[in-house]
Amino acid sequence: MSDAARFDVAIVGAGMAGASLASALARHVRVLVLEAESQPGFHATGRSAAFWSETYGGPGVQPLTTASGPMLRTGGFLDPLGSLHLGEAPDRPKAGALLSAFAGRPVELTPVNPASLIPGLRPTWSVGVLEPSCAYIDVAALHAHYLQDGRRHGVKLVTGARLERASRTHGIWQVETSAGRYTAAILVNAAGAWADPVAAAAGVRPLGIRPYRRTMVQVRVDPPVPADLPHVVDLSGNFYFKPEAGGRLWVTPHDETLSAPCDAAPEEIDVALAIHRLERVVEWRVLAVERRWAGLRSFAADRLPVYGFDPAAPGFFWCAGQGGFGIQTAPAASMLAAALLLGRPCELAQVDADRYSPARFDAMASPSA
């Protein structure tokens, strides 16, 4: 095997997780990124709903999201949007629970009259909590930034390189892919929906990271969507929608359907459900469904991401389970993961690395836990 095939770190997956980690590592070690598809970001990264919200993912994810905010703003990746958490009268306790969950955290949440923010809102929707910091995020530009930065600092990206198997001998991973064989001291699992299959292919115990399908629909409505409409999310978790350029609207029924890892496609019933739930909220008329797509969001059992070395598999590093919040947390998450991988202190004082460690699953399984 030639020296060109030898690396310090091999990352499986060139989506946002793999690309951002490669960028963070590239100044310190030789990095290889292996992508199964013909282009990076084909799956979850390329199908994101493209917003940054400090409440999305809950209090366990919020420190990573908040820490990522300044980096994203400085880079020009965020634009103002705002988010309205919306409910009917029976949902008032849920609004109170949201306010309580983030009390004392650096997230501004304010009770509001939702009718003042959504023209044509049906009168039963009377409960609202405004999250003004929510923003659009330019996912494509952010992903391209990480790929370009990595390439500039020597990262080698190989596409069409599906992992077939990997084994570790004398402290070195032998990695076999559909594009060739490589060696690396550390193997990183940043494979998104394929995280558990990648672990299995490397002889590592899977952690139970499961992919779920989420459907998005772009519609044209009458009257056109106001340009200043915020992102609107149901307090009961049954929908969210957000304005897009040209008076369009992106809406989801907030579906979460367990799926095998695949090239996800929308189901007609979920498209219809998205429209039905939108029409329950506003008096707008849906004129046309212009686009529909689906992506996979992958979660561990506790719905927190997984960053760190596997306690039972030396040299195997997890960077997975980011659910729907992997884009918005990428700057901080990649800093954290790089520090853990390199054995260096993490500069993010507000982030508790142990909370995201793969070792937590051993504690969950123990009788004394």
Side-chain angles (χ1 to χ4, degrees), residues 199-278:
V204 177
R205 183 192 65 174
L207 295 182
I209 295 176
R210 309 182 79 181
Y212 297 84
R213 188 179 69 243
R214 169 64 52 85
T215 304
M216 294 295 298
V217 183
Q218 178 177 299
V219 296
R220 182 162 46 88
V221 298
D222 181 38
V225 177
D228 60 352
L229 184 78
H231 168 267
V232 179
V233 57
D234 179 29
L235 282 163
S236 293
N238 291 319
F239 63 82
Y240 65 76
F241 55 85
K242 64 188 277 278
E244 286 298 313
R248 270 56 177 176
L249 193 77
W250 282 10
V251 59
T252 174
H254 218 257
D255 51 325
E256 200 167 89
T257 305
L258 185 63
S259 171
C262 66
D263 182 3
E267 300 282 348
E268 285 303 320
I269 190 170
D270 295 322
V271 173
L273 188 59
I275 295 169
H276 169 70
R277 291 180 177 175
L278 174 67

Side-chain angles (χ1 to χ4, degrees), residues 309-325:
F309 283 104
D310 191 291
F316 190 89
F317 190 95
W318 290 87
C319 183
Q322 291 94 343
F325 39 80

Side-chain angles (χ1 to χ4, degrees), residues 205 207 300-306 354-355 357-369:
R205 183 192 65 174
L207 295 182
D302 60 3
R303 301 183 76 85
L304 291 179
V306 188
D354 289 343
R355 192 165 197 178
S357 169
R360 72 186 191 265
F361 298 104
D362 291 334
M364 289 177 188
S366 68
S368 60

Side-chain angles (χ1 to χ4, degrees), residues 278-298:
L278 174 67
E279 291 175 336
R280 275 201 65 238
V281 178
V282 292
E283 296 173 349
W284 311 335
R285 186 163 61 97
V286 175
L287 300 179
V289 174
E290 297 182 329
R291 289 179 59 206
R292 64 195 78 193
W293 66 99
L296 298 180
R297 308 157 75 253
S298 303

